[in-house]
Amino acid sequence: MVGNGFMGAAHSQGWRVAPRFFELAATPETTVLVGRDEHRVAAAADNWGWHETSTSWRDTIARDDIDVVDIVTPGDSHAEIAIAALEAGKHVLCEKPLANTVAEAEAMAAAAERATEQGIRAMVGFTYRRVPAVTFARDLVAAGRIGQVRQVRAVYLQDWLRDAESPMTWRLDKTRAGSGALGDIGAHAVDLAQFVTGRQLASVSGVLETLVAERPLLAEGRGLSGTAAAERGQVTVDDVALFTGRFDDGVLGSFEATRFSTGRKNALRLEVSGSDGAIAFNLEDLNSLQFYDATADPAVQGFTKVLVTEPEHPYVSAWWPAGHMLGYEHGFSHQARDFVDAIVRGEQPRPSFADGLQVQRVLDAVETSSGAGSAWTAV
Amino acid sequence: MVGNGFMGAAHSQGWRVAPRFFELAATPETTVLVGRDEHRVAAAADNWGWHETSTSWRDTIARDDIDVVDIVTPGDSHAEIAIAALEAGKHVLCEKPLANTVAEAEAMAAAAERATEQGIRAMVGFTYRRVPAVTFARDLVAAGRIGQVRQVRAVYLQDWLRDAESPMTWRLDKTRAGSGALGDIGAHAVDLAQFVTGRQLASVSGVLETLVAERPLLAEGRGLSGTAAAERGQVTVDDVALFTGRFDDGVLGSFEATRFSTGRKNALRLEVSGSDGAIAFNLEDLNSLQFYDATADPAVQGFTKVLVTEPEHPYVSAWWPAGHMLGYEHGFSHQARDFVDAIVRGEQPRPSFADGLQVQRVLDAVETSSGAGSAWTAV
Amino acid sequence: MVGNGFMGAAHSQGWRVAPRFFELAATPETTVLVGRDEHRVAAAADNWGWHETSTSWRDTIARDDIDVVDIVTPGDSHAEIAIAALEAGKHVLCEKPLANTVAEAEAMAAAAERATEQGIRAMVGFTYRRVPAVTFARDLVAAGRIGQVRQVRAVYLQDWLRDAESPMTWRLDKTRAGSGALGDIGAHAVDLAQFVTGRQLASVSGVLETLVAERPLLAEGRGLSGTAAAERGQVTVDDVALFTGRFDDGVLGSFEATRFSTGRKNALRLEVSGSDGAIAFNLEDLNSLQFYDATADPAVQGFTKVLVTEPEHPYVSAWWPAGHMLGYEHGFSHQARDFVDAIVRGEQPRPSFADGLQVQRVLDAVETSSGAGSAWTAV
Amino acid sequence: MVGNGFMGAAHSQGWRVAPRFFELAATPETTVLVGRDEHRVAAAADNWGWHETSTSWRDTIARDDIDVVDIVTPGDSHAEIAIAALEAGKHVLCEKPLANTVAEAEAMAAAAERATEQGIRAMVGFTYRRVPAVTFARDLVAAGRIGQVRQVRAVYLQDWLRDAESPMTWRLDKTRAGSGALGDIGAHAVDLAQFVTGRQLASVSGVLETLVAERPLLAEGRGLSGTAAAERGQVTVDDVALFTGRFDDGVLGSFEATRFSTGRKNALRLEVSGSDGAIAFNLEDLNSLQFYDATADPAVQGFTKVLVTEPEHPYVSAWWPAGHMLGYEHGFSHQARDFVDAIVRGEQPRPSFADGLQVQRVLDAVETSSGAGSAWTAV
């Protein structure tokens, strides 16, 4: 695995825990953890249970005893590592977003396609697809339980940038982060909406906005000199992204991504309205799915709060008895399971790099539309 | 109508509004308002739309042009007025509790039975039965939609006595109020549970408790003299009533009534669990009913939040379109409608005085049980 | 009052009930009900408690004993009646939308402005402002309790057009209804957002969409002849309106109005995020307001569900004790109270016709934007 | 670890995961898994990551390289194993209930007390104490944030026995299970209430009830012969336990445990009302705590839904960013952490065996009371 930030902890937990609960087609070994800083990567490997460490991803992907490369670095390094790993014949799991630009994402998707011919698999890590309630929502929609899909609402609301005096970070720097709320969390909203409805966005009209233009710099030496405290950095990414999208079959959806929605900590919400029903999901209530069945006895229609913790629900039977809650990191075990199984069965794991590229194109179209007065822009 | 307190406002609203929305079998006239204080009753009559006033309920019930007597005085005067009115050949609607003692309630029920032979009707005012969601819950249970009833939970939680320094009132004086939380709000919980399940409590085991034994007296002159502020009155009623009841068919239920449940303003809640489903209601969310259907597709089972505002729901078609909320006082219009219609059709309106007596017996049995170390006591 | 449809019942209830609960500066009389059909207006007057009826609004507004004209007809007749009434020196309450076109609304606002000089008042009926939780939300925002307003989300979701086979009605005919979801319910979302934030929308970018293009005609004789059943009418209004708006101070808001949101019966929802807090409201839970205080102890921050039924909340002290729910029609009593009081005090009641015109301009700008590929359009 | 049932999986996950997220004072090794069936224990050890297996707990506790014994067998074997382990100088973690009888629990508590003198620690596994929202509730109560505790409501509602045709199991056999809902889940409700309030129950009045007296036997050969299907076993434990308890300081609480509450999957709920506030928790919403602050500005009082996922909340900073949900098994990591840390620091881990004994006494008193017509029974 390449990368030792927060996502590294989540992925490590996925790799370690999946074989404890699922019957995997093959048992993953957590062999080498790669990071730039020798000491930090050693500490992380110790914490997370990796056998060896390295400061060179190139050396690591050259090793014969490595079959899978899991990339959890920031987005600007994804393309180089992933393409090299695929060309070295390694299966690749790459954290979202696939890349910071469409061009990089295209190169990655092309590399993945070439690799596929050699039986090498690539997957991008939109793990929220693998929350049981989300997978189950997809199943209900696919089975026609809400009839014809008519409307989609998808938002991802957080509030950790609410305080205008919270400091500047690399996530607010367009060069390194690619975009702001749009790519960081809007990408999840787009993937979720597309996954659950089984449709792809074809065009968008939107607007990006920066609410706090400057933030205090956490400069080295800050606090030591009188002047440093006053230094401010320029926020070069969007704080809020609002857009309307039209899916390939004409259905309209509304989208919002923001890290300024006071009081909303992790509210990735999706509502899909159909001719015969509706589903609604909220990541802040991740074990539940709201389901409305418009074909039921009218007198008792209403949104049913389904606790998605029953053995018949996706992934659940591997875990605990009914009514026992799952948490955030369970999705990473599900991801590890699905990825390993797809590799062994010789199938294409989803979301593929092509799926990741498509999301990237949606984000790119939103930026273009925003720059063009919200003109409708094809994906 | 006899009485000009808070319930008088609610009953007046019921009488005035019912004929505006329902096709009544006869149109009620709000003729005479009776109260002890000439000036206050005049003001109330003016506010509430009564044509005349009187300070003598005896004179009023003697009038030939009066067909219906509505009693909204405190409980200690119910028996005398109701029995006299029934004997005078007037139909009587009496606010709950039917009386402060079982003996009075028995006399009233006997009077009502005698009156029935003359075609004179008597009803007691447990209006929460007529919240559409409650009536609908009863309908679902009666129709077998939750299967065999197995468990009942009923609580009525308020918090207006939370502050130990809030003053002494007549409601905390056993002589005048009869009991505390038990009769004031516990009576509603009992009636609701019996109404929705179609069963009657046969025996109880319970405990009554006074949490704040003394409260400041709102003496006249208080604040004028230094000593008055220190005077305190003795609370002689229960602040909390906790009891378990066994219904006539053996089903167990748990009950609680308290005016000390911090943060709960008007939480009359009922949950009935059956072999094939369950219903749950909360008066703080009075337009909704939670319904669980254990016979549905297991993968989508859950509590369904039914907005009880559809035309097919009880009473609703007379009001507004679907999704438009009803409030507290709508129950009084429903009560007025049902009472008038029963009178004209020559049917017994429910809850009858016999029903009110039965509730009184339950409350009495709880007091007895509490005094006997929670020994099971027959109703 | 001119008009005897559904809104007539609600307004009548407002006029009748307001003086029973509030101390009005003057007591309104429900004198004449005007309608086109003699028999239907007579029946409505009887139901709703109007003393006389008329089939001529012109005759009625000419009467000396009429001080106030309340217009609850469809939008295409508002301008003519309101302007005539104002010119006849009558105070006018006009149901929303103010008019079907901006031109008509402008004429009405101009007439209202001229009338003001004579002490004649005009108000438009956006009653949802007067739901206590909404007024209270406005108060919290105005008092700075959520800090600087940053983001607004407003939707009005219903589902009564979900069934593609539900019949054609005049509300789906652009000539008569002006627009579809946009004007019918989107207007409420716009007014609510502007009222609570104290801001006005300055420009919009949006899209209107018709989801079901043809519906069965409820032709006379339908069902009698074999051919009639197959006849279908063209839906000429929007079924869904999605738009982004920029307020006069630059704040962005997202808006949606639809009558196809399966399972949502009357979900007028507003969320306002500020630098120090947030408020969220849903008309399906009309006695509650969600409030987030970002200045509180961080460990216990969260959305607080405030039951807006306490005496200190707007309008509430006139009604019932804490925890007793209000319903849909209470807003009409509040409206009657506020209108009468403003007239007597010689103040401008709000929302004024100018406010109504401004909403109309927003709706018009959305239509223009939708026709121009969602280009940003000034209001 | 002794035992390879469902709780074994949860404990194993706790031991494995705790050192990955917490800085433990010592690092636990998952050395030997002990079970009766050689093959099953081998399979479990493989799944759960134990290095060795054994079929003799006596041999295992005799080993010098074993410091800690974790007992996850059914309750009837706890006493023997735990006492032997403590006498062998091993620290013991024993799954709840401590034992099936008070006598056994007393022997265990005595053994633990003797062991303490040697620096050997014993703890019982009421893991729900270590759900962050529960620990935080305890902290709020202890800090006086709800004022003086006045009322407690604790229920544990499940529905997995709802179907009268679901088969007989050992959990319904008093000889093996000790009791039914009372000990299985009621014990959790008792521990939770005592833990959060910092009080102990001193006396109880209650009733136990069996709702379905006979259930089909899952006999071997069932389905093969025509007669087997008709064989039924006798349910000898309670299906529902309802009781009222009085805490040592006089506070009253109501308790219910049932596995027949249709639609409730894992609803361990606690509400504590105090003079200045209240807290409410539901295990079906395990990342939230409802908090009511009666000392706040009255106009914005209400239950605040606190997402207990912030770094300042107990245990949370070790896991994920704010708003990322934890699940059922996280409590087992917290338990492993706290147990190891207490051992290394030489402190008594809680809940101690004495705490477990006290819960056992409460359960015993409920049984006694139920057998004595709900007479109040001292714990």
Side-chain angles (χ1 to χ4, degrees):
Chain A
M1 186 170 75
V2 188
N4 57 346
F6 146 53
M7 290 309 299
H11 280 239
S12 297
Q13 175 82 338
W15 292 117
R16 279 195 322 264
V17 172
R20 301 290 172 212
F21 288 84
F22 293 93
E23 296 273 332
L24 298 190
T27 304
E29 294 285 324
T30 50
T31 309
V32 192
L33 182 66
V34 183
R36 257 180 287 196
D37 181 291
E38 193 180 338
H39 299 292
R40 291 176 56 192
V41 73
D46 191 44
N47 269 346
W48 303 343
W50 294 81
H51 308 325
E52 306 173 35
T53 65
S54 165
T55 56
S56 165
W57 59 263
R58 290 196 191 276
D59 291 354
T60 304
I61 66 172
R63 286 171 56 160
D64 284 348
D65 62 338
I66 298 289
D67 298 315
V68 171
V69 176
D70 182 3
I71 304 169
V72 293
T73 54
D76 55 358
S77 56
H78 286 182
E80 188 180 12
I81 305 172
I83 294 169
L86 287 168
E87 289 178 348
K90 312 302 184 193
H91 306 291
V92 174
L93 172 61
C94 181
E95 186 50 31
K96 60 75 31 190
L98 189 59
N100 277 3
T101 67
V102 167
E104 286 173 343
E106 284 174 338
M108 293 170 78
E113 203 176 329
R114 287 191 305 272
T116 302
E117 293 161 21
Q118 318 301 319
I120 301 303
R121 307 293 168 186
M123 184 166 94
V124 62
F126 285 108
T127 47
Y128 292 136
R129 290 185 173 205
R130 293 180 163 90
V131 169
V134 170
T135 310
F136 183 53
R138 191 269 319 261
D139 293 347
L140 289 174
V141 173
R145 295 292 291 268
I146 67 166
Q148 181 192 350
V149 170
R150 281 193 181 141
Q151 294 189 283
V152 176
R153 293 164 201 101
V155 300
Y156 202 151
L157 311 178
Q158 298 181 336
D159 75 351
W160 56 276
L161 289 176
R162 179 189 62 75
D163 182 355
E165 292 306 305
S166 79
M168 185 70 194
T169 80
W170 69 267
R171 285 185 176 275
L172 302 175
D173 176 359
K174 189 169 175 60
T175 318
R176 298 176 61 196
S179 70
L182 180 66
D184 180 22
I185 55 178
H188 280 298
V190 168
D191 184 67
L192 207 72
Q194 297 192 140
F195 171 67
V196 170
T197 63
R199 284 152 176 80
Q200 294 201 332
L201 284 166
S203 59
V204 296
S205 162
V207 59
L208 302 179
E209 182 97 347
T210 303
L211 298 181
V212 172
E214 288 183 340
R215 288 178 177 272
L217 280 175
L218 267 189
E220 294 186 43
R222 195 189 162 212
L224 297 180
S225 77
T227 55
E231 283 178 29
R232 289 180 167 261
Q234 204 68 26
V235 173
T236 50
V237 299
D238 57 288
D239 285 333
V240 53
L242 276 174
F243 59 100
T244 302
R246 196 176 283 282
F247 289 86
D248 40 23
D249 66 343
V251 166
L252 276 177
S254 65
F255 293 83
E256 177 175 5
T258 174
R259 298 175 293 197
F260 276 83
S261 183
T262 307
R264 306 302 177 186
K265 300 305 172 186
N266 207 21
L268 172 57
R269 295 188 206 151
L270 178 70
E271 178 159 343
V272 183
S273 304
S275 56
D276 293 335
I279 60 95
F281 171 76
N282 183 350
L283 189 61
E284 287 187 351
D285 192 13
L286 76 68
N287 291 277
S288 299
L289 183 70
Q290 299 278 347
F291 173 57
Y292 188 97
D293 182 357
T295 68
D297 170 5
V300 294
Q301 286 186 17
F303 275 91
T304 299
K305 182 177 178 171
V306 181
L307 275 186
V308 187
T309 58
E310 298 290 321
E312 51 263 67
H313 293 137
Y315 302 110
V316 174
S317 62
W319 299 100
W320 314 110
H324 289 66
M325 303 294 120
L326 302 186
Y328 165 68
E329 72 262 46
H330 290 79
F332 294 90
S333 287
H334 304 161
Q335 174 171 275
R337 198 275 300 249
D338 292 345
F339 187 48
V340 168
D341 281 6
I343 291 171
V344 175
R345 287 199 307 263
E347 295 172 0
Q348 173 60 48
R350 300 291 296 268
S352 65
F353 276 20
D355 295 328
L357 166 60
Q358 193 271 341
V359 171
Q360 213 64 35
R361 283 180 171 147
V362 172
L363 307 182
D364 196 61
V366 172
E367 285 206 71
T368 302
S369 173
S370 179
S374 298
W376 281 88
T377 304
V379 170
Chain B
M1 187 170 75
V2 188
N4 58 344
F6 146 53
M7 289 311 298
H11 280 238
S12 298
Q13 175 81 339
W15 292 117
R16 280 194 321 265
V17 172
R20 301 290 171 215
F21 287 84
F22 293 92
E23 296 273 334
L24 298 189
T27 304
E29 294 285 325
T30 50
T31 310
V32 191
L33 182 68
V34 182
R36 257 179 287 196
D37 182 290
E38 191 180 341
H39 299 292
R40 289 176 58 192
V41 74
D46 190 45
N47 269 347
W48 303 342
W50 293 82
H51 308 323
E52 305 172 36
T53 65
S54 166
T55 57
S56 164
W57 60 262
R58 291 197 189 274
D59 291 355
T60 304
I61 66 172
R63 285 170 58 158
D64 284 346
D65 61 340
I66 298 288
D67 298 313
V68 171
V69 175
D70 182 2
I71 304 170
V72 294
T73 55
D76 54 359
S77 56
H78 285 182
E80 188 181 12
I81 305 172
I83 293 169
L86 287 167
E87 290 177 348
K90 312 302 184 192
H91 307 290
V92 173
L93 171 61
C94 181
E95 186 50 30
K96 57 73 39 189
L98 188 58
N100 277 3
T101 68
V102 167
E104 287 173 343
E106 284 173 340
M108 293 170 77
E113 204 176 329
R114 287 192 302 273
T116 302
E117 292 160 21
Q118 317 302 321
I120 300 301
R121 307 293 169 187
M123 183 165 94
V124 62
F126 285 109
T127 48
Y128 292 136
R129 291 186 172 204
R130 294 180 161 91
V131 170
V134 170
T135 310
F136 183 53
R138 192 268 319 260
D139 293 347
L140 290 174
V141 172
R145 295 293 290 269
I146 66 166
Q148 181 192 348
V149 168
R150 282 198 183 136
Q151 295 189 282
V152 175
R153 293 166 200 99
V155 301
Y156 202 150
L157 311 178
Q158 298 181 337
D159 76 350
W160 57 276
L161 289 176
R162 180 189 61 74
D163 182 355
E165 292 306 307
S166 79
M168 186 68 196
T169 81
W170 70 268
R171 286 186 176 275
L172 302 176
D173 176 0
K174 188 170 174 60
T175 317
R176 299 175 63 195
S179 70
L182 180 65
D184 180 22
I185 55 178
H188 280 299
V190 168
D191 184 66
L192 207 72
Q194 297 191 142
F195 171 67
V196 169
T197 62
R199 281 151 178 80
Q200 293 201 333
L201 284 166
S203 59
V204 296
S205 161
V207 58
L208 303 179
E209 181 97 348
T210 303
L211 298 182
V212 172
E214 289 183 339
R215 289 178 177 273
L217 282 174
L218 265 188
E220 292 186 46
R222 196 190 161 212
L224 295 181
S225 77
T227 55
E231 284 178 30
R232 290 181 167 259
Q234 204 67 26
V235 173
T236 50
V237 299
D238 58 288
D239 285 333
V240 54
L242 276 173
F243 58 101
T244 302
R246 196 176 285 281
F247 289 86
D248 40 23
D249 65 344
V251 166
L252 276 177
S254 65
F255 293 82
E256 177 175 5
T258 174
R259 299 174 293 197
F260 276 82
S261 183
T262 308
R264 306 302 176 186
K265 300 304 172 186
N266 206 21
L268 172 58
R269 296 187 205 151
L270 177 70
E271 179 158 344
V272 183
S273 304
S275 56
D276 292 335
I279 60 96
F281 172 76
N282 183 350
L283 189 61
E284 288 188 351
D285 191 14
L286 76 69
N287 291 277
S288 298
L289 182 70
Q290 299 279 347
F291 173 57
Y292 188 96
D293 182 357
T295 67
D297 171 5
V300 294
Q301 286 186 16
F303 275 91
T304 298
K305 182 178 178 170
V306 181
L307 275 186
V308 187
T309 60
E310 299 289 321
E312 49 264 68
H313 293 136
Y315 302 109
V316 174
S317 62
W319 298 101
W320 314 110
H324 289 67
M325 302 294 120
L326 301 186
Y328 165 67
E329 72 262 45
H330 290 78
F332 294 90
S333 287
H334 304 161
Q335 174 171 272
R337 197 276 299 251
D338 293 344
F339 187 48
V340 169
D341 281 7
I343 291 171
V344 175
R345 286 199 307 262
E347 294 171 1
Q348 173 59 51
R350 300 291 297 270
S352 66
F353 275 19
D355 294 328
L357 165 61
Q358 193 270 342
V359 171
Q360 212 64 33
R361 285 182 171 144
V362 172
L363 306 183
D364 196 61
V366 172
E367 284 206 73
T368 302
S369 173
S370 179
S374 298
W376 281 89
T377 304
V379 170
Chain C
M1 187 170 75
V2 188
N4 57 346
F6 145 53
M7 289 310 298
H11 279 240
S12 297
Q13 174 83 337
W15 291 117
R16 278 195 322 263
V17 172
R20 300 291 171 211
F21 288 86
F22 293 92
E23 295 275 331
L24 298 190
T27 304
E29 295 285 325
T30 49
T31 311
V32 192
L33 181 67
V34 183
R36 256 181 288 196
D37 181 293
E38 193 180 339
H39 299 291
R40 291 176 56 192
V41 75
D46 190 44
N47 270 346
W48 303 342
W50 293 81
H51 308 323
E52 306 172 36
T53 64
S54 166
T55 56
S56 164
W57 61 263
R58 290 196 190 277
D59 291 354
T60 304
I61 67 173
R63 286 171 56 159
D64 284 345
D65 62 341
I66 297 289
D67 297 315
V68 171
V69 176
D70 182 2
I71 305 169
V72 293
T73 55
D76 55 357
S77 56
H78 286 182
E80 188 181 12
I81 305 172
I83 294 169
L86 288 168
E87 290 178 348
K90 311 304 184 192
H91 307 289
V92 173
L93 171 61
C94 180
E95 185 50 32
K96 58 74 33 187
L98 189 59
N100 277 3
T101 68
V102 168
E104 286 173 343
E106 284 174 339
M108 293 170 77
E113 205 177 328
R114 288 192 303 272
T116 302
E117 292 161 22
Q118 318 301 321
I120 301 303
R121 307 295 168 184
M123 185 165 93
V124 62
F126 285 108
T127 48
Y128 291 136
R129 290 184 173 205
R130 294 180 163 91
V131 169
V134 170
T135 309
F136 184 53
R138 192 269 319 262
D139 293 347
L140 289 174
V141 172
R145 295 292 291 269
I146 66 165
Q148 182 192 349
V149 169
R150 281 195 182 138
Q151 294 190 284
V152 176
R153 293 166 200 99
V155 300
Y156 203 152
L157 311 178
Q158 298 180 337
D159 75 351
W160 54 278
L161 290 175
R162 180 190 61 75
D163 183 355
E165 292 306 306
S166 79
M168 187 67 195
T169 81
W170 70 267
R171 285 183 176 277
L172 302 176
D173 175 0
K174 189 170 174 59
T175 317
R176 299 175 61 194
S179 69
L182 180 66
D184 179 22
I185 56 178
H188 279 298
V190 168
D191 184 67
L192 206 73
Q194 297 192 141
F195 172 67
V196 170
T197 64
R199 282 152 177 80
Q200 293 201 333
L201 285 165
S203 58
V204 296
S205 161
V207 58
L208 303 178
E209 181 97 348
T210 304
L211 298 182
V212 172
E214 288 183 340
R215 288 179 177 273
L217 281 175
L218 267 189
E220 293 186 43
R222 197 192 160 211
L224 296 180
S225 77
T227 54
E231 283 178 31
R232 289 179 166 262
Q234 204 68 25
V235 173
T236 50
V237 299
D238 56 287
D239 286 332
V240 53
L242 276 174
F243 58 100
T244 303
R246 197 176 285 281
F247 289 85
D248 41 22
D249 65 345
V251 166
L252 276 176
S254 65
F255 293 83
E256 177 175 5
T258 174
R259 299 176 292 199
F260 275 83
S261 183
T262 307
R264 306 302 176 186
K265 300 304 172 187
N266 206 22
L268 173 58
R269 296 187 205 152
L270 177 71
E271 179 159 343
V272 183
S273 304
S275 55
D276 292 336
I279 59 95
F281 171 75
N282 183 352
L283 188 61
E284 288 188 351
D285 191 14
L286 75 69
N287 291 278
S288 300
L289 182 70
Q290 299 279 346
F291 173 57
Y292 188 96
D293 181 357
T295 68
D297 171 5
V300 294
Q301 286 186 17
F303 276 90
T304 299
K305 182 178 178 170
V306 181
L307 275 186
V308 187
T309 59
E310 298 291 321
E312 50 263 68
H313 292 136
Y315 301 109
V316 173
S317 63
W319 298 101
W320 314 110
H324 289 67
M325 302 295 120
L326 302 185
Y328 165 68
E329 72 262 45
H330 289 79
F332 293 91
S333 287
H334 304 162
Q335 174 171 274
R337 197 276 300 249
D338 293 344
F339 186 48
V340 168
D341 281 7
I343 291 170
V344 175
R345 288 198 308 263
E347 293 171 1
Q348 173 59 49
R350 300 291 296 269
S352 66
F353 276 19
D355 296 327
L357 165 61
Q358 194 271 342
V359 171
Q360 212 64 35
R361 284 181 171 146
V362 171
L363 307 182
D364 196 62
V366 173
E367 285 206 72
T368 303
S369 174
S370 179
S374 298
W376 281 88
T377 304
V379 170
Chain D
M1 188 170 74
V2 188
N4 57 345
F6 146 54
M7 289 310 298
H11 279 238
S12 297
Q13 174 81 338
W15 291 117
R16 279 194 322 264
V17 172
R20 302 290 171 214
F21 287 85
F22 293 92
E23 296 274 332
L24 298 190
T27 304
E29 294 285 325
T30 49
T31 311
V32 191
L33 182 67
V34 183
R36 257 180 286 196
D37 181 291
E38 192 180 339
H39 299 293
R40 288 175 58 192
V41 74
D46 190 45
N47 270 347
W48 302 344
W50 293 81
H51 308 324
E52 305 173 36
T53 65
S54 166
T55 56
S56 163
W57 60 264
R58 290 196 189 275
D59 291 355
T60 304
I61 66 172
R63 285 171 58 157
D64 284 346
D65 62 338
I66 298 288
D67 297 314
V68 171
V69 175
D70 183 3
I71 304 169
V72 293
T73 55
D76 55 358
S77 56
H78 286 183
E80 187 180 14
I81 305 173
I83 294 169
L86 287 168
E87 290 178 349
K90 312 303 184 191
H91 306 290
V92 173
L93 172 60
C94 180
E95 185 50 31
K96 58 76 31 192
L98 189 58
N100 277 4
T101 69
V102 167
E104 286 173 342
E106 283 173 340
M108 293 171 78
E113 204 177 329
R114 288 192 303 273
T116 302
E117 292 159 23
Q118 318 301 322
I120 300 302
R121 307 293 169 187
M123 185 165 94
V124 61
F126 285 109
T127 48
Y128 292 136
R129 290 185 172 206
R130 294 178 161 93
V131 169
V134 170
T135 310
F136 184 53
R138 191 268 319 262
D139 294 347
L140 290 173
V141 172
R145 295 292 290 270
I146 67 166
Q148 182 192 349
V149 169
R150 282 196 183 138
Q151 295 189 281
V152 176
R153 292 165 201 100
V155 300
Y156 202 151
L157 311 178
Q158 298 181 337
D159 74 352
W160 56 276
L161 289 176
R162 180 189 61 75
D163 182 355
E165 292 304 307
S166 78
M168 186 68 196
T169 80
W170 70 268
R171 284 184 177 277
L172 302 176
D173 176 1
K174 189 170 174 58
T175 318
R176 299 175 63 194
S179 70
L182 180 66
D184 179 22
I185 56 178
H188 279 298
V190 169
D191 184 67
L192 207 72
Q194 297 192 141
F195 172 67
V196 169
T197 62
R199 281 152 178 81
Q200 292 200 334
L201 284 166
S203 59
V204 296
S205 161
V207 58
L208 302 179
E209 181 98 348
T210 303
L211 298 181
V212 172
E214 288 183 339
R215 289 179 176 273
L217 282 176
L218 267 188
E220 293 186 45
R222 196 191 162 213
L224 297 181
S225 76
T227 55
E231 284 177 30
R232 290 181 166 259
Q234 204 67 25
V235 173
T236 49
V237 299
D238 57 288
D239 285 334
V240 53
L242 276 174
F243 58 101
T244 303
R246 197 176 285 279
F247 290 86
D248 41 22
D249 65 345
V251 167
L252 276 177
S254 64
F255 293 82
E256 177 175 6
T258 174
R259 300 176 291 198
F260 275 83
S261 183
T262 307
R264 306 302 177 186
K265 301 304 171 186
N266 205 23
L268 172 58
R269 296 187 204 151
L270 177 70
E271 179 158 343
V272 184
S273 304
S275 56
D276 292 336
I279 59 96
F281 172 75
N282 183 351
L283 189 62
E284 288 188 351
D285 191 14
L286 77 68
N287 291 278
S288 299
L289 183 69
Q290 300 279 347
F291 173 58
Y292 188 96
D293 182 357
T295 68
D297 171 5
V300 294
Q301 286 185 17
F303 277 90
T304 299
K305 183 178 179 170
V306 181
L307 275 186
V308 187
T309 59
E310 298 290 320
E312 50 265 68
H313 293 135
Y315 302 109
V316 174
S317 63
W319 298 101
W320 313 111
H324 290 66
M325 303 295 120
L326 301 185
Y328 164 68
E329 72 261 48
H330 290 79
F332 293 91
S333 287
H334 305 161
Q335 174 171 274
R337 197 276 300 251
D338 292 345
F339 187 47
V340 168
D341 282 7
I343 290 170
V344 174
R345 286 199 308 263
E347 295 172 0
Q348 174 59 49
R350 299 291 297 270
S352 67
F353 275 19
D355 295 328
L357 166 61
Q358 194 270 341
V359 171
Q360 212 65 34
R361 284 182 171 146
V362 172
L363 306 183
D364 196 61
V366 173
E367 285 205 72
T368 302
S369 173
S370 179
S374 298
W376 281 88
T377 304
V379 170

